[in-house]
Amino acid sequence: MTLISIDGVSRRFGQVTALDSVGLDIRQGEFFALLGPSGCGKTTLLRILAGFEQPDSGSVLLDGADLLAVPPHRRPVNLMFQSYALFPHMSVERNVAYGLEREGLPRQEIRTRVGEVLETVGLAAQARRRPHELSGGQRQRVALARAIVKRPLLLLLDEPLSALDKKVRAEMQLELKRLQNEVGITFVVVTHDQEEAMSLADRIAVMRGGRVEQVDAPVDLYERPRTPFVADFVGANNLFEGRVTGGRFEVSGLGVLPAPVDGLEEGAGALLAIRPERVGLAPVSPAAPEEGEAGVLTGTVVDVSFYGGTSHVALTVPGHDGHVLVATQGPARVEAGVRVALSWDAADSALIPLGEIQTQ
Ligand code: ATP
């Protein structure tokens, strides 16, 4: 069921178009991420949902009713700020109780609800502490507790984990997911970190220059990017620009490459995207001719980086600008200077028609 329906929302600030006719449906109970580079309009959209900003045009419906006509404090929506904005002189439980006190709820009910929510976020033992007596991760939990204790229909989170160090961040990602599942509130998170969006969200909207380029589940976004920008922004990708010629995909300077050409017209320009972990690597004997027959492309290893579980191999391929990247499980059995043949299955790659931008 759709909870939020955003249609044709635009917002300009002087010469800058922060949002350009954005359309999105966010479902009830969903963990939804707005992902994109700095300045693409994520925060502006979040602020419109919270009521701190009005669009120049377009509509936003919540459960079918006009949300834009409702003042911010009357919306069943809560925004958790990047800075957490905790009151430093108040204990954890007072910080969490504050919003309910302002609503004038009975004291007993406040006590019960605050107790429950502190239990949910794992802070019952720290209820009497002040924010400065907590770790970064714990402060983040207080901010979350404060945001969910009011039982909003929609919780908006602006870069919720950006203030945390890497390890705590990974823990809090799990925690956020568990929490969202448990409380059943619809979460919309803004992030510029694609790994974070992929690990947290049920669906992701990738934004660029005020527009939505693609909305999909993380796996679909990763495996079937529909625009060159998404293919490049979401995870590492090897990109080859070419054309459908004689029913095959041909790249100038490289020749025919395996690609899923079905559905593309003869002569159509397209971008082939193949993930580093989908490319196979096989050494070629130094005596082999320049045009290796064993693989699709022949290249020379320029760098191998070992990350424990995986290795990243960078190669130069004559006729291709930049490096081709290959990821292997465990240590890569090649070294710099070695000539290798690269191969992949057409079904493992994605072919993105050029000039066609998906705006859903
Ligand atoms: P970031 O990740 O850096 O926060 P963002 O994707 O959230 O970026 P927005 O903050 O929504 O992007 O900004 C979109 C564009 O609108 C930017 O070019 C920004 O400079 C501009 N902008 C946003 N708010 C205002 C404002 N109040 N006045 C003028 N320009 C603004």
Side-chain angles (χ1 to χ4, degrees):
M1 195 189 87
T2 300
L3 178 69
I4 298 278
S5 189
I6 300 167
D7 189 27
V9 163
S10 295
R11 179 71 167 107
R12 289 181 66 89
F13 297 103
Q15 295 299 308
V16 178
T17 303
L19 295 173
D20 185 6
S21 198
V22 167
L24 277 179
D25 281 339
I26 298 168
R27 299 172 193 148
Q28 168 77 50
E30 174 166 61
F31 202 135
F32 195 89
L34 298 171
L35 171 69
S38 184
C40 72
K42 310 177 295 286
T43 304
T44 303
L45 188 57
L46 210 67
R47 289 173 56 80
I48 286 174
L49 294 176
F52 301 143
E53 199 74 71
Q54 283 288 333
D56 301 325
S57 56
S59 65
V60 180
L61 306 181
L62 185 136
D63 257 344
D66 182 12
L67 183 67
L68 298 176
V70 183
H73 63 280
R74 291 266 172 78
R75 296 186 182 192
V77 176
N78 227 328
L79 174 63
M80 200 191 88
F81 292 98
Q82 223 172 74
S83 60
Y84 312 153
L86 301 179
F87 298 117
H89 59 287
M90 286 186 192
S91 66
V92 166
E93 58 187 356
R94 289 284 326 282
N95 261 287
V96 177
Y98 183 79
L100 301 182
E101 285 168 0
R102 286 201 44 180
E103 279 182 7
L105 291 187
R107 199 173 275 191
Q108 188 49 45
E109 185 179 344
I110 295 177
R111 196 169 303 149
T112 309
R113 273 169 67 171
V114 170
E116 280 171 5
V117 93
L118 287 181
E119 200 71 54
T120 306
V121 299
L123 279 182
Q126 288 82 15
R128 298 283 159 84
R129 292 207 198 155
R130 302 259 180 94
H132 74 269
E133 296 168 315
L134 301 173
S135 69
Q138 288 170 330
R139 277 201 286 274
Q140 216 266 353
R141 282 167 213 246
V142 181
L144 268 172
R146 202 173 54 174
I148 59 177
V149 77
K150 290 178 81 178
R151 299 179 184 160
L153 285 179
L154 180 65
L155 179 60
L156 309 171
L157 305 110
D158 191 357
E159 301 274 1
L161 308 178
S162 62
L164 305 174
D165 67 42
K166 207 173 164 202
K167 190 153 173 284
V168 182
R169 218 176 150 125
E171 273 167 31
M172 282 310 294
Q173 279 177 4
L174 289 176
E175 189 77 350
L176 258 187
K177 253 170 110 161
R178 178 191 66 80
L179 198 69
Q180 195 265 344
N181 229 320
E182 204 171 302
V183 296
I185 296 172
T186 306
F187 277 27
V188 177
V189 62
V190 155
T191 178
H192 63 270
D193 179 337
Q194 51 96 13
E195 273 182 26
E196 186 162 294
M198 305 263 287
S199 71
L200 286 175
D202 297 316
R203 285 193 309 148
I204 301 172
V206 180
M207 296 182 67
R208 179 201 188 196
R211 297 184 72 92
V212 174
E213 290 227 345
Q214 186 170 345
V215 186
D216 258 318
V219 172
D220 296 326
L221 208 59
Y222 190 79
E223 291 189 343
R224 279 178 290 281
R226 292 211 205 101
T227 71
F229 174 75
V230 174
D232 202 28
F233 188 72
V234 179
N237 233 330
N238 294 297
L239 303 172
F240 303 96
E241 193 177 330
R243 191 166 293 286
V244 180
T245 313
R248 302 190 300 174
F249 186 68
E250 193 168 341
V251 176
S252 158
L254 296 179
V256 171
L257 300 183
V261 288
D262 288 356
L264 279 175
E265 285 180 12
E266 183 66 17
L271 194 67
L272 172 70
I274 175 81
R275 297 287 177 189
E277 66 272 21
R278 301 288 195 174
V279 181
L281 201 74
V284 175
S285 83
E290 194 60 31
E291 291 301 312
E293 282 163 29
V296 181
L297 293 174
T298 309
T300 304
V301 175
V302 289
D303 185 60
V304 180
S305 310
F306 179 53
Y307 291 95
T310 56
S311 299
H312 294 181
V313 182
L315 305 109
T316 52
V317 171
H320 180 67
D321 287 341
H323 291 136
V324 172
L325 299 175
V326 179
T328 64
Q329 288 288 330
R333 313 233 171 262
V334 291
E335 57 192 38
V338 168
R339 279 185 69 215
V340 289
L342 307 172
S343 60
W344 62 87
D345 275 344
D348 286 338
S349 61
L351 208 51
I352 303 154
L354 286 175
E356 187 186 298
I357 298 292
Q358 160 85 20
T359 53
Q360 80 120 33

